[in-house]
Amino acid sequence: MKIVCLSGGLDSAVVLARYIEQGEDVVAMYFRYQHPSSSAEENCATRLCDRFGVELICRFIEPPTSGIMVEAVDPVVIGRNTIMLANACAEARVRGASAVGFGATAEDLDGFPDCRPAFFAAFNAVQAAIGGVSVETPLIDWSKAQVKAEAARLSIGDDETISCYRPVLDGHKGWQSCGVCLSCEVRG
């Protein structure tokens, strides 16, 4: 069994679908936290798990409150991935899972220190030292174009995921991407 950190975004949806395609028994974990995109992301994660028949575990995480939310252009929670991965690895260990899957891509490397290969190597070294499970990053060398192509191959529609820092709730269409934040720009 593997646990997938499922944000409701395109990258983690592809990781989930690829594991399922490979015949893995999968459980998804979604993390609620104080971010403008949380409700939209959870909605997509729930729908993806319903579609794939996968158990979804939802956990609330509360990063340290002083200075954790950086409002440069888009809201970013510093260290969010580190906190999620620690929780996912603990859950994986309790459940006897073999690994945690995480959807970091090549385009995440510059902006997010906890999406870099060196971070995952160090994190996995700590996990090994405590008898924990490792984190797999099957998309770490992929461009967003490659992820989008794989999503299309796996029949994951654009409307099934959301990758947006400031989604807007439309009464007729549900959660919609804002179209102007960095995440929307990268997803294209």
Side-chain angles (χ1 to χ4, degrees):
M1 176 204 331
K2 293 187 179 179
I3 292 191
V4 174
C5 290
L6 185 63
S7 69
L10 186 66
D11 306 333
S12 62
V14 167
V15 171
L16 177 74
R18 284 173 53 96
Y19 281 161
I20 291 168
E21 182 182 65
Q22 294 165 7
E24 296 284 353
D25 183 20
V26 178
V27 171
M29 283 190 82
Y30 175 79
F31 294 93
R32 294 182 186 112
Y33 60 103
Q34 298 170 343
H35 193 276
S37 64
S38 245
S39 294
E41 289 175 345
E42 186 173 356
N43 178 272
C44 288
T46 300
R47 289 184 306 150
L48 285 163
C49 286
D50 288 348
R51 174 187 167 191
F52 288 113
V54 170
E55 177 187 357
L56 178 62
I57 302 165
C58 293
R59 295 280 160 73
F60 180 77
I61 58 173
E62 191 168 348
T65 54
S66 63
I68 202 74
M69 188 69 81
V70 176
E71 285 275 355
V73 176
D74 296 311
V76 175
V77 179
I78 306 294
R80 174 195 70 152
N81 295 338
T82 307
I83 296 165
M84 291 189 307
L85 288 169
N87 279 273
C89 286
E91 184 71 30
R93 190 170 178 190
V94 167
R95 288 177 175 248
S98 61
V100 170
F102 194 77
T105 68
E107 269 129 19
D108 297 326
L109 304 182
D110 287 337
F112 303 98
D114 54 1
C115 279
R116 296 177 184 154
F119 167 80
F120 291 110
F123 191 91
N124 283 337
V126 169
Q127 287 297 306
I130 64 170
V133 301
S134 63
V135 175
E136 298 178 344
T137 54
L139 311 180
I140 196 74
D141 296 320
W142 290 30
S143 68
K144 192 57 76 172
Q146 289 173 299
V147 174
K148 287 175 76 171
E150 184 70 349
R153 186 189 73 75
L154 294 164
S155 300
I156 299 170
D158 283 343
D159 61 337
E160 293 183 272
T161 65
I162 193 156
S163 299
C164 178
Y165 294 135
R166 300 176 187 278
V168 178
L169 184 57
D170 179 309
H172 301 288
K173 297 180 182 178
W175 287 104
Q176 301 294 305
S177 296
C178 71
V180 297
C181 71
L182 178 60
S183 188
C184 286
E185 183 181 310
V186 169
R187 182 167 173 168

